[in-house]
Amino acid sequence: MQKPPQSVDFALKETSPNIGAGSVTGDKLSCTYDLVEQMQYLYARVVKAKDLPPKDITGSCDPYVEVKLGNYKGVTKHFEKKSNPEWNQVFAFSKDRIQASVLEVFVKDKDVVLDDLIGRIMFDLNEVPKRVPPDSPLAPQWYRLEDRKGDKIKSGELMLAVWMGTQADEAFPDAWHSDAASVGPDGVNNIRSKVYISPKLWYVRVNVIEAQDLVPSDKSRLPEVFVKGTLGNQALRTRTSQIKTINPMWNEDLIFVVAEPFEEPLILTAEDRLGPNKDEVLGKCVIPLQPVQRRLDHKPVNTRWFNLEKHVVADGEQKKETKFASRIHLRICLDGGYHVLDESTHYSSDVRPTAKQLWRPSIGILELGVLSAVGLMPMKTKDGRGTTDAYCVAKYGQKWVRTRTIVDSFTPRWNEQYTWEVFDPCTVITIGVFDNGHIHGGGGGKDSRIGKVRIRLSTLETDRVYTHSYPLLALQPSGVRKAGEVQLAVRFTCSSLVNMLHMYSHPLLPKMHYVHPLSVMQLDSLRHQAMQIVSTRLSRSEPPLRKEVVEYMLDVDSHMWSMRRSKANFFRIMGVLSSLIAVGKWFDQICNWKNSLTTILIHILFIILVLYPELILPTVFLYLFLIGLWNYRWRSRHPPHMDTRLSHADAAHPDELDEEFDTFPTSKPSDVVRMRYDRLRSIAGRVQTVVGDLATQGERFQSLISWRDPRATTLFLTFCLIAAIVLYVTPFQVLALLIGLYVLRHPRFRHKLPSAPLNFFRRLPAKSDSML
């Protein structure tokens, strides 16, 4: 079962970036961004202008500012007929790409044919001041504009500030960048770095108790009533009432997911089932969620009666009928004691309950430095050549971060650092790399996924900086491929070691999940709804974190059937059982005296443990302790990463991958679907056989005392009576010693035929002969 190590191309690589963490140089220690490499930028903040001279025939001007450094040129928006405009816009020029010694700032008048120059200001780069946070921002100053000859013009001043800084500057996220000079004004918002917060999610529990005085349209029959609840895109219904009556009872819970702010009301309708696809609405109730009681524990909330309004259609218009009011009895609350799952529990990044009053204090800080990527593949074609506009997204807890987009580069350098509070060490941070498909303002494209990395915090040593290059592995219908590498720096700082160790004794999820648990089916359905709400809300941000990005980060399709994943999980089970199998083989060798010296030592140890049974548990725990110390030498020094061999991605059959990427419902032709269905039936047949064999063994145990086979039960009961008498009069140590010596007997005293107890057990009847 031991798999060979995966290829070097897909392996994790340790790196040594030039970052401040661990360095002793003074300039690095003064930088708050110590997990990323410092990137120098020339910043120019254009604030406003005043008293600009008129240039048009109308006696006004349409001013804008052009900031030029060598071949790079940044432009503000223009104002029509305004002599005192305000821009407050920042331009950032990368020092690595500076090819000039002078920064030129032009104030121009927008014209139809040729823009007129109003004035300019020149800055010698050698005289530009340097600023390093946490220094206060540089105060902008007023500068008199000059003409082309360098003479001051009569009127017109520009307020601006120019300084040298790093990416730690507050102006960096919203600045126009020289490396994105080709991006138009419509696409600038789509390339900036942003921090997003997931909406606060609640479970809405609606306990439908009963209804009274329902009025069906057909008075000759008693209604078969059920209650249907709708909240946004979610629709749930109770079972149909067991008794046909106008006063039905259910006492059934409906649970929905809702996000703050509560935009949509809860709509409940009582409906009468008239036929297979025909229902009549007997009454409707619209309940806004803002005043609904918020519950922190499992104590029942107060019940309320709500009127059911009946709507009738008269003359083509829907009108409200209020002649006779039916009522519905409900218990509604917002459950704040649960954690609303919006990602898989296997790699969850947050397990806190919804209600902030129930949060425990944080145990540490997680810092992530997104340094760079290398070897990215071209993701789209532009002007006849492949190109990639890459950005990173990191998700931990409710906080999502998005780096800026590096335009047209296969080796982007972001060097951006982010921080999260940690409330539980057994959580996972997810980092994804994507290609921006909306650079030029287009709305039709999608952001393509390049790859993803997961890091479990509990596998990290505290206060250690991990700098590694992670492979970006993309699974495609053609197979697994490496789309590049992303270089990250990670540090987990623990504020209190005692609190963190104490967390390991707490349940993983909040108390309500155990006191008032939800079913597996409910959790799956609610998780899917929560994912849809989160992806919809974040896609409405500005700039949007697109739906396809959020769904990839949350693994929306992880529950779909995959032959490859099923094989991988089977071999994971076999890997877990391999240690037990190895122990069984070793014990078999002991029993068969393959090594006489070892077998004799085991005999001596066994006799000592039988004579001194109080040594058994100390021996077991001491053995585990020594094994753990021995394994410490080979502990992993790197965080885990995506493993192609463990995932069976490198040896998957093309048809299996094609099936994995198929839509749901399928879009394949009927002959392909038939072949896959037959294959699935053959696999299910094997599983069915194994399950049947397990059931047979269990039923044989039950038949020992069930008298289904009277002779077998008589023999077993006789054996039990004799065993009870013998065990009562014989010391337990003597019995254990005899049984142990019998099991460890020499092969000369063994038979190749099965033992009598095993033969007896295999002859016991099972219910398999009663199966159709």
Side-chain angles (χ1 to χ4, degrees):
M1 297 305 300
Q2 294 299 319
K3 289 182 173 295
Q6 61 179 354
S7 65
V8 177
D9 196 36
F10 294 155
L12 190 71
K13 300 171 186 173
E14 191 161 6
T15 58
S16 301
N18 185 25
I19 62 176
S23 173
V24 293
T25 54
D27 61 329
K28 290 291 174 67
L29 291 176
S30 64
C31 177
T32 54
Y33 277 24
D34 65 338
L35 290 185
V36 292
E37 297 176 349
Q38 283 197 26
M39 300 174 71
Q40 298 292 328
Y41 285 89
L42 172 66
Y43 289 98
R45 179 187 293 277
V46 179
V47 183
K48 57 185 175 180
K50 68 178 181 180
D51 302 332
L52 295 179
K55 285 289 182 180
D56 295 343
I57 302 173
T58 58
S60 63
C61 65
D62 306 328
Y64 70 92
V65 176
E66 180 181 294
V67 182
K68 188 176 180 183
L69 182 65
N71 296 326
Y72 294 106
K73 181 174 66 175
V75 180
T76 67
K77 62 182 179 181
H78 80 278
F79 291 95
E80 293 187 2
K81 299 180 181 180
K82 201 167 186 181
S83 59
N84 299 304
E86 289 192 21
W87 294 282
N88 199 23
Q89 192 168 340
V90 181
F91 299 86
F93 299 88
S94 176
K95 188 177 180 182
D96 297 339
R97 301 189 182 186
I98 292 179
Q99 299 172 345
S101 59
V102 176
L103 175 71
E104 301 172 281
V105 182
F106 301 96
V107 181
K108 294 186 176 182
D109 174 45
K110 189 80 172 175
D111 213 337
V112 178
V113 181
L114 184 66
D115 297 347
D116 298 324
L117 177 69
I118 298 176
R120 69 174 185 176
I121 305 170
M122 313 280 281
F123 291 92
D124 187 346
L125 297 190
N126 295 323
E127 299 178 3
V128 171
K130 191 173 185 179
R131 177 190 174 240
V132 178
D135 291 353
S136 298
L138 198 68
Q141 301 179 28
W142 286 105
Y143 293 87
R144 284 287 296 274
L145 297 175
E146 303 172 350
D147 58 17
R148 292 190 183 277
K149 298 178 182 178
D151 300 327
K152 306 287 185 185
I153 62 175
K154 292 182 180 179
S155 66
E157 292 181 86
L158 181 66
M159 178 184 276
L160 75 159
V162 179
W163 72 96
M164 291 294 297
T166 65
Q167 77 270 34
D169 205 290
E170 295 90 343
F172 179 79
D174 294 322
W176 172 94
H177 289 273
S178 58
D179 54 6
S182 61
V183 180
D186 294 336
V188 167
N189 275 343
N190 289 321
I191 66 171
R192 287 182 172 154
S193 57
K194 287 291 177 184
V195 175
Y196 305 85
I197 302 297
S198 288
K200 189 175 184 179
L201 300 174
W202 293 81
Y203 284 148
V204 182
R205 186 184 293 271
V206 184
N207 180 225
V208 184
I209 303 172
E210 60 180 329
Q212 283 186 358
D213 304 327
L214 298 177
V215 185
S217 57
D218 186 1
K219 302 289 194 299
S220 63
R221 57 180 287 277
L222 291 172
E224 301 177 38
V225 188
F226 64 90
V227 175
K228 181 180 177 183
T230 307
L231 184 59
N233 296 325
Q234 305 167 70
L236 299 173
R237 48 162 290 176
T238 66
R239 67 183 186 279
T240 304
S241 61
Q242 297 177 348
I243 304 173
K244 297 180 181 181
T245 174
I246 60 171
N247 301 313
M249 294 189 68
W250 297 277
N251 197 22
E252 192 171 336
D253 281 353
L254 303 178
I255 301 179
F256 303 88
V257 182
V258 68
E260 289 186 356
F262 305 133
E263 297 173 347
E264 296 170 323
L266 171 67
I267 301 173
L268 296 175
T269 55
E271 302 186 19
D272 179 15
R273 178 173 291 282
L274 301 177
N277 296 310
K278 189 177 179 183
D279 302 320
E280 180 198 359
V281 177
L282 302 180
K284 179 179 176 183
C285 176
V286 179
I287 305 171
L289 295 179
Q290 286 85 352
V292 170
Q293 181 178 344
R294 304 187 179 197
R295 184 172 74 163
L296 305 183
D297 49 28
H298 61 286
K299 294 178 182 176
V301 298
N302 296 327
T303 62
R304 278 189 61 190
W305 287 94
F306 293 87
N307 288 331
L308 288 171
E309 298 168 349
K310 189 168 184 181
H311 293 261
V312 296
V313 178
D315 301 327
E317 295 183 2
Q318 197 177 49
K319 297 181 179 179
K320 190 188 298 182
E321 186 182 34
T322 56
K323 293 179 183 177
F324 188 85
S326 305
R327 299 191 304 167
I328 189 168
H329 197 192
L330 304 173
R331 183 184 282 115
I332 306 179
C333 65
L334 290 163
D335 267 332
Y338 291 93
H339 168 67
V340 181
L341 296 164
D342 61 348
E343 53 195 342
S344 174
T345 50
H346 298 299
Y347 23 83
S348 180
S349 64
D350 187 15
V351 290
R352 291 172 295 169
T354 300
K356 204 168 184 178
Q357 301 95 306
L358 302 177
W359 289 5
R360 294 191 179 95
S362 66
I363 60 166
I365 296 293
L366 172 66
E367 296 166 280
L368 172 70
V370 184
L371 299 173
S372 60
V374 294
L376 297 184
M377 306 288 287
M379 301 301 294
K380 56 180 177 284
T381 304
K382 179 186 175 187
D383 300 331
R385 65 183 182 85
T387 180
T388 298
D389 307 313
Y391 68 92
C392 278
V393 174
K395 193 262 182 196
Y396 184 78
Q398 294 182 336
K399 180 178 173 182
W400 299 66
V401 299
R402 168 182 173 155
T403 68
R404 71 191 190 284
T405 301
I406 305 297
V407 180
D408 193 13
S409 175
F410 298 132
T411 56
R413 294 174 64 227
W414 294 286
N415 284 305
E416 297 184 24
Q417 184 170 336
Y418 299 97
T419 305
W420 287 268
E421 272 190 303
V422 177
F423 294 87
D424 194 310
C426 303
T427 45
V428 175
I429 181 172
T430 306
I431 303 104
V433 183
F434 301 88
D435 173 62
N436 197 327
H438 301 77
I439 289 289
H440 303 288
K446 286 190 172 184
D447 290 359
S448 306
R449 56 182 74 168
I450 297 177
K452 182 166 58 179
V453 174
R454 294 194 201 99
I455 302 173
R456 183 170 289 275
L457 270 60
S458 58
T459 63
L460 304 178
E461 298 176 16
T462 53
D463 298 319
R464 178 187 164 189
V465 179
Y466 290 84
T467 54
H468 291 88
S469 188
Y470 294 81
L472 295 171
L473 305 179
L475 189 64
Q476 297 178 341
S478 57
V480 67
R481 69 161 187 164
K482 182 178 175 182
E485 297 178 6
V486 62
Q487 189 175 348
L488 305 173
V490 183
R491 178 171 57 205
F492 174 38
T493 307
C494 174
S495 55
S496 171
L497 182 61
V498 175
N499 287 346
M500 186 173 71
L501 295 178
H502 184 54
M503 284 298 297
Y504 281 85
S505 66
H506 286 282
L508 188 63
L509 292 170
K511 184 174 73 171
M512 281 290 287
H513 285 268
Y514 308 97
V515 175
H516 207 288
L518 303 172
S519 69
V520 175
M521 293 288 289
Q522 279 181 314
L523 284 175
D524 283 342
S525 174
L526 293 170
R527 182 189 294 117
H528 176 72
Q529 295 297 339
M531 288 176 175
Q532 296 301 319
I533 291 173
V534 170
S535 61
T536 302
R537 285 288 181 93
L538 292 179
S539 65
R540 286 161 49 187
S541 305
E542 189 59 41
L545 195 59
R546 310 218 169 253
K547 190 179 178 75
E548 61 271 17
V549 173
V550 177
E551 289 182 348
Y552 179 59
M553 296 288 288
L554 294 178
D555 283 292
V556 167
D557 55 354
S558 62
H559 65 286
M560 299 297 289
W561 159 258
S562 165
M563 180 72 76
R564 172 194 61 83
R565 205 177 287 129
S566 301
K567 286 182 180 177
N569 288 333
F570 172 76
F571 280 102
R572 285 173 61 201
I573 293 174
M574 295 305 296
V576 171
L577 297 177
S578 61
S579 56
L580 297 176
I581 295 170
V583 171
K585 289 181 178 179
W586 171 80
F587 186 72
D588 185 63
Q589 291 176 353
I590 296 295
C591 292
N592 288 302
W593 292 67
K594 296 289 185 183
N595 187 325
S596 302
L597 179 62
T598 307
T599 305
I600 292 170
L601 290 175
I602 292 297
H603 275 78
I604 295 171
L605 177 63
F606 173 70
I607 293 171
I608 292 173
L609 292 178
V610 168
L611 296 178
Y612 302 98
E614 64 274 10
L615 295 178
I616 294 176
L617 288 178
T619 303
V620 170
F621 286 112
L622 181 63
Y623 178 73
L624 292 174
F625 173 75
L626 295 175
I627 290 292
L629 283 185
W630 181 261
N631 289 340
Y632 182 78
R633 298 168 56 192
W634 292 283
R635 73 191 186 281
S636 175
R637 300 292 294 168
H638 312 301
H641 64 289
M642 300 295 186
D643 192 329
T644 54
R645 292 199 181 278
L646 179 69
S647 309
H648 272 252
D650 53 350
H653 192 275
D655 184 67
E656 294 174 2
L657 292 175
D658 186 58
E659 180 184 21
E660 186 171 340
F661 283 91
D662 191 9
T663 57
F664 188 86
T666 182
S667 57
K668 298 297 179 183
S670 58
D671 54 338
V672 175
V673 176
R674 187 180 298 112
M675 182 271 291
R676 290 175 179 170
Y677 175 62
D678 290 340
R679 180 177 64 195
L680 197 58
R681 285 176 66 191
S682 66
I683 295 170
R686 295 176 206 166
V687 174
Q688 173 184 285
T689 303
V690 172
V691 172
D693 289 343
L694 291 174
T696 297
Q697 307 310 321
E699 288 165 357
R700 282 174 175 165
F701 272 109
Q702 290 179 340
S703 65
L704 283 170
I705 53 175
S706 67
W707 294 95
R708 191 166 179 204
D709 183 342
R711 286 167 292 278
T713 303
T714 302
L715 286 171
F716 179 70
L717 294 181
T718 304
F719 167 77
C720 290
L721 179 62
I722 295 171
I725 296 171
V726 171
L727 289 174
Y728 182 75
V729 300
T730 308
F732 180 77
Q733 289 172 304
V734 174
L735 196 67
L737 188 64
L738 292 175
I739 292 174
L741 293 175
Y742 175 77
V743 171
L744 295 170
R745 68 193 184 279
H746 196 275
R748 185 179 300 173
F749 304 106
R750 294 179 183 273
H751 299 286
K752 291 188 176 180
L753 296 177
S755 62
L758 187 59
N759 292 332
F760 175 78
F761 181 75
R762 286 176 177 172
R763 288 177 176 274
L764 291 172
K767 295 180 181 178
S768 53
D769 49 353
S770 301
M771 293 273 293
L772 285 174

